[in-house]
Amino acid sequence: QVQVVESGGGLVQAGGSLRLSCTASGLTLANYPVAWFRQTPGKEREAVSCINRSGRSTYYSDAVKGRFTINRDNAKNTLYLQMNNLNSDDTAMYYCAIDFRRPNCSLGYKNFDYWGQGTQVTVSS
């Protein structure tokens, strides 16, 4: 049974940093594209970052490019999202999602098959 768990969210002041982690049981993250999405109430879930199966290609939304970094520790079967210079627009629930069907990132949220429960990030100004 596949289980995806995010951690690392919290309350941080504007300009601060957080590192989110995503762990999975029942599968090896390095075998799939894995993405971070975020969602605020009343809005559609949006892709923030993604790393493809090989790990050689990454994606960042324009909103986070230059501030967020996605990386994977294969030995720990863990995906990270390092978030720097946070601002109030980054406040959201953050989700880790796994695509079982494609080798590369395809960023519509309906393309992802397994999701964690999310971790809340709140940035105070």
Side-chain angles (χ1 to χ4, degrees):
Q1 185 176 351
V2 175
Q3 187 174 14
V4 181
V5 179
E6 304 95 335
S7 61
L11 175 64
V12 63
Q13 288 189 331
S17 298
L18 284 173
R19 189 177 76 160
L20 305 184
S21 299
C22 170
T23 60
S25 58
L27 59 80
T28 300
L29 288 176
N31 290 342
Y32 308 99
V34 187
W36 288 99
F37 284 77
R38 67 186 182 187
Q39 188 172 26
T40 53
K43 292 189 177 181
E44 190 168 285
R45 204 166 287 192
E46 63 168 347
V48 172
S49 184
C50 185
I51 186 166
N52 73 344
R53 185 171 64 189
S54 71
R56 290 193 289 268
S57 178
T58 57
Y59 160 85
Y60 298 95
S61 70
D62 288 342
V64 308
K65 199 172 295 182
R67 301 187 297 120
F68 290 13
T69 303
I70 191 170
N71 67 290
R72 194 172 62 201
D73 186 331
N74 294 340
K76 295 183 178 180
N77 200 30
T78 301
L79 180 78
Y80 300 101
L81 185 68
Q82 178 67 43
M83 307 187 297
N84 298 329
N85 194 21
L86 287 160
N87 59 60
S88 57
D89 289 338
D90 297 316
T91 294
M93 185 71 79
Y94 284 72
Y95 298 91
C96 178
I98 302 167
D99 182 351
F100 264 37
R101 291 166 281 168
R102 283 161 280 265
N104 295 307
C105 293
S106 182
L107 297 168
Y109 72 89
K110 294 181 180 179
N111 293 330
F112 289 80
D113 304 288
Y114 286 96
W115 295 80
Q117 292 301 305
T119 186
Q120 177 68 37
V121 172
T122 303
V123 183
S124 63
S125 55

